Amino acid sequence: GLRGAFEFVAALLAGEECRVQKLALSGVRSASVEALAALGAALDGNRHLEQLSLGCNFISAEGCRALAAAVASHPALRSLSLEHNPIQDSGAAALSAALCGRGSRLTSLSLPFTGA
């Protein structure tokens, strides 16, 4: 079901043979903190993903914090879109702190309609 979509994609991204460069996982609407932590862990082992779109998934501030470090330290990720998620100011602040402190390669960050 939809609840397992993030976990399924995380397992796919974690594989060394994964060469996916652009991933749009929008509208799943069930991004739990645990699912986002799994996605973050998968990103740690992935070296090819350049664009990640996670709009409209009800990602909370806590969920954003679960992703922040992995997104910030990813060697290839250039674009992150989190629009239409209630990450609020605290989620955006956690993401900003991670991005500023880890030598991120991110060049595009989209946060409209997030409450930030």
Side-chain angles (χ1 to χ4, degrees):
L2 291 179
R3 182 157 286 239
F6 279 89
E7 290 87 349
F8 174 78
V9 169
L12 194 68
L13 286 176
E16 285 186 28
E17 67 281 354
C18 182
R19 301 283 186 254
V20 172
Q21 293 179 324
K22 183 177 181 179
L23 176 62
L25 192 60
S26 299
V28 176
R29 301 171 49 120
S30 62
S32 68
V33 173
E34 295 80 16
L36 291 166
L39 185 59
L43 287 175
D44 278 341
N46 177 283
R47 299 289 172 250
H48 302 284
L49 191 65
E50 295 177 3
Q51 297 178 13
L52 179 59
S53 178
L54 298 173
C56 302
N57 285 308
F58 293 105
I59 296 173
S60 65
E62 188 178 355
C64 191
R65 284 190 290 276
L67 267 181
V71 164
S73 63
H74 195 281
L77 194 64
R78 302 288 186 268
S79 175
L80 175 64
S81 179
L82 292 170
E83 73 272 352
H84 294 278
N85 284 296
I87 66 169
Q88 304 297 323
D89 289 340
S90 61
L95 187 58
S96 176
L99 290 171
C100 291
R102 298 187 183 258
S104 172
R105 297 184 184 272
L106 210 65
T107 57
S108 175
L109 177 62
S110 180
L111 299 176
F113 305 104
T114 59

